[in-house]
Amino acid sequence: MSDQPQSPPELQVSAASHEAIVEPLQLGKRVREIRLSQNLTLEEASKRTGLARSTLSKIENEQISPTFTAVNKLVKGLGIDIPQLFSQPSKSRSSGGRRDITRCGEGKPRATPTYEHEMLASQLTNKKMIPYKTTVRARSFDEYADWVRHDGEELLYVLSGSIRFYTEFYEPIDLAEGDSAYYDCEMGHTLISTSETDAVILWVTA
Amino acid sequence: MSDQPQSPPELQVSAASHEAIVEPLQLGKRVREIRLSQNLTLEEASKRTGLARSTLSKIENEQISPTFTAVNKLVKGLGIDIPQLFSQPSKSRSSGGRRDITRCGEGKPRATPTYEHEMLASQLTNKKMIPYKTTVRARSFDEYADWVRHDGEELLYVLSGSIRFYTEFYEPIDLAEGDSAYYDCEMGHTLISTSETDAVILWVTA
DNA sequence: AAGAAATATTTCCTATTGGAAACTTAATTC
DNA sequence: GAATTAAGTTTCCAATAGGAAATATTTCTT
């Protein structure tokens, strides 16, 4: 990932831009907190999770990086909520006052043949919504191998240009600047640009 | 190396208690879905995540259980949302194929002294997100009696004009067209327009 | 305070992961 | 249709995780 778009590094730092959580991700610390909060000894935790005492100890002390299966045992055994694991150890406000500013064009880029995504608020993890500013590169329905389908719901707002919005269960519909659509993502959906220049949209998934 | 996460012989019988069943979670399947949905080859995914092609392949084919660090690389590299990883592969066809188009200016209006909201996709109920196109009428911080606080998380995108974004725990920050912010709504927040004309923003709450 | 008990860490070893490269399969091109 | 190219899988091996038991540390008891 060496592709930074034409964005001067200087701007990136501007003011309070990107002061989110920089996740060092101390899984161990987190696990220990959780275990202790349940008043469990390593031995008990071991019984519940099926992981060896020693393994638990090492995990908590960040001496090893547990495998996914191990993490799952932890989650099940200790009744941990997943995001809990990936979120920051209670910096007093577990999720109370987060804020992440993304300057125009400073999102985290990701390109596909058909779209050019720019993820907004990429510094924040555990978001309920995932916002993208996306340039629609595709010009024809044929450029897609298949419908795009995934979990969740999506909001689409046309920032500039115009698009044709194809969905699995509806007739294609043309959307111009300022128009928007809200839909279930399990339903196949794809977009193409219909304007001179590639259309740009705001795309929010939840 | 050919361990299928089924039921280990020793554990099979013990009905007594907890025995930390081995992951019913098909991480690999999930990862593959996600990668393909982004039209990435293993090679590209490898570059983005920093994991070897072979490793990715094995993960997707459930031949190995990636370490936590590996999972993190996946998450970061592919821009995966955590719960996405742990949620079951889209079996829960909860709401199906809804769609709601809102033409520019055709939203459901609602006015307050300080804001002029236009609710998008108002036909659809039970949405995870509530999108508004809002004109910011306020011109001074004093026009607000108190902080606005409510549940959830909010995404704010400046469509036109410029605003000053006040939050309870941070310094006010100026946002121009194309800038965006993501924040927890329990934290007090208000906006004022700083441009000639009232600024217009897209506001999504979840 | 010394010993016992409980809890946590470390050691040692085997099993598994993760990477480089070889190999296979599928898609294109000539 | 053979030859290339691209995408994915498998192999081999070094690095590391996970478990059992030994060791260290803390916490009770008496």
Side-chain angles (χ1 to χ4, degrees):
Chain A
M1 302 193 280
S2 48
D3 56 310
Q4 277 289 55
Q6 57 281 60
S7 49
E10 276 76 339
L11 286 180
Q12 197 120 12
V13 199
S14 69
S17 154
H18 291 156
E19 68 236 65
I21 294 159
V22 195
E23 67 183 309
L25 262 183
Q26 305 138 310
L27 175 71
K29 208 169 178 179
R30 210 75 246 284
V31 171
R32 174 155 290 172
E33 273 183 19
I34 293 166
R35 175 174 65 85
L36 292 179
S37 78
Q38 306 190 347
N39 279 79
L40 297 176
T41 70
L42 281 182
E43 179 59 31
E44 292 169 306
S46 168
K47 277 187 189 138
R48 298 203 181 175
T49 58
L51 291 166
R53 280 205 314 288
S54 55
T55 306
L56 288 172
S57 170
K58 289 178 213 165
I59 290 173
E60 294 190 352
N61 292 307
E62 323 251 291
Q63 291 176 12
I64 64 174
S65 172
T67 59
F68 188 71
T69 26
V71 172
N72 267 317
K73 289 181 182 177
L74 272 179
V75 166
K76 298 234 175 97
L78 300 184
I80 299 177
D81 177 40
I82 306 290
Q84 214 184 341
L85 260 191
F86 288 80
S87 67
Q88 223 32 26
S90 58
K91 199 82 174 276
S92 68
R93 50 169 198 262
S94 53
S95 62
R98 303 173 302 166
R99 193 190 77 169
D100 189 1
I101 304 293
T102 308
R103 291 298 182 185
C104 191
E106 305 271 323
K108 189 174 166 194
R110 163 165 37 261
T112 78
T114 42
Y115 295 124
E116 195 144 343
H117 299 293
E118 181 189 335
M119 189 194 223
L120 307 179
S122 58
Q123 311 301 101
L124 264 190
T125 56
N126 283 321
K127 298 190 289 294
K128 288 186 176 173
M129 299 179 279
I130 311 201
Y132 288 101
K133 185 182 197 167
T134 299
T135 303
V136 182
R137 241 200 306 239
R139 290 286 170 171
S140 148
F141 185 67
D142 308 326
E143 296 180 41
Y144 294 91
D146 194 7
W147 289 112
V148 176
R149 285 197 200 82
H150 50 91
D151 281 339
E153 302 172 12
E154 219 148 46
L155 168 73
L156 180 174
Y157 181 94
V158 182
L159 293 171
S160 70
S162 58
I163 58 173
R164 183 160 299 136
F165 178 37
Y166 292 90
T167 49
E168 197 171 5
F169 307 139
Y170 299 86
E171 281 298 303
I173 185 168
D174 287 315
L175 300 177
E177 194 169 319
D179 292 346
S180 61
Y182 194 109
Y183 56 94
D184 289 318
C185 310
E186 297 100 67
M187 171 174 61
H189 54 285
T190 61
L191 296 181
I192 63 168
S193 277
T194 52
S195 45
E196 288 288 321
T197 64
D198 289 345
V200 180
I201 64 172
L202 189 68
W203 226 342
V204 189
T205 310
Chain B
M1 280 49 111
S2 55
D3 89 302
Q4 284 301 75
Q6 303 282 34
S7 28
E10 333 90 70
L11 297 180
Q12 214 156 20
V13 201
S14 73
S17 52
H18 56 57
E19 65 268 19
I21 303 91
V22 195
E23 68 192 279
L25 271 180
Q26 297 196 319
L27 176 71
K29 209 170 178 177
R30 215 72 244 286
V31 171
R32 174 154 290 174
E33 274 182 19
I34 292 167
R35 174 174 66 84
L36 291 180
S37 79
Q38 304 191 339
N39 279 78
L40 297 177
T41 69
L42 282 180
E43 179 60 30
E44 293 170 306
S46 167
K47 280 192 189 128
R48 300 204 175 171
T49 57
L51 292 167
R53 272 206 320 292
S54 54
T55 306
L56 289 171
S57 171
K58 289 178 216 166
I59 291 173
E60 292 190 352
N61 292 311
E62 324 251 303
Q63 290 176 13
I64 64 174
S65 171
T67 57
F68 189 72
T69 34
V71 173
N72 266 316
K73 288 182 182 175
L74 272 179
V75 166
K76 293 207 184 140
L78 299 183
I80 297 176
D81 178 42
I82 306 291
Q84 208 185 345
L85 252 191
F86 288 83
S87 67
Q88 244 12 41
S90 67
K91 260 297 89 130
S92 54
R93 182 129 303 198
S94 52
S95 18
R98 303 172 304 164
R99 193 191 75 166
D100 188 1
I101 304 293
T102 308
R103 292 297 180 185
C104 192
E106 308 268 316
K108 192 173 165 191
R110 191 165 62 92
T112 77
T114 44
Y115 296 124
E116 195 144 343
H117 300 293
E118 180 190 337
M119 188 193 221
L120 308 179
S122 56
Q123 318 274 58
L124 266 189
T125 55
N126 265 58
K127 297 190 291 293
K128 287 187 177 175
M129 296 179 281
I130 310 199
Y132 289 101
K133 184 180 197 168
T134 299
T135 304
V136 181
R137 235 190 322 228
R139 290 287 170 170
S140 148
F141 184 69
D142 307 325
E143 298 181 37
Y144 295 91
D146 195 6
W147 289 112
V148 176
R149 284 198 202 81
H150 50 91
D151 278 341
E153 302 174 11
E154 220 149 45
L155 168 73
L156 180 173
Y157 182 94
V158 181
L159 293 172
S160 70
S162 57
I163 57 173
R164 182 159 300 136
F165 178 38
Y166 292 89
T167 50
E168 198 171 3
F169 306 139
Y170 299 86
E171 282 297 301
I173 186 169
D174 287 314
L175 300 177
E177 195 170 317
D179 292 345
S180 60
Y182 194 111
Y183 55 93
D184 291 317
C185 309
E186 299 100 67
M187 170 173 64
H189 55 283
T190 60
L191 298 180
I192 63 166
S193 279
T194 54
S195 47
E196 290 288 319
T197 64
D198 288 346
V200 180
I201 64 172
L202 191 67
W203 226 341
V204 189
T205 310

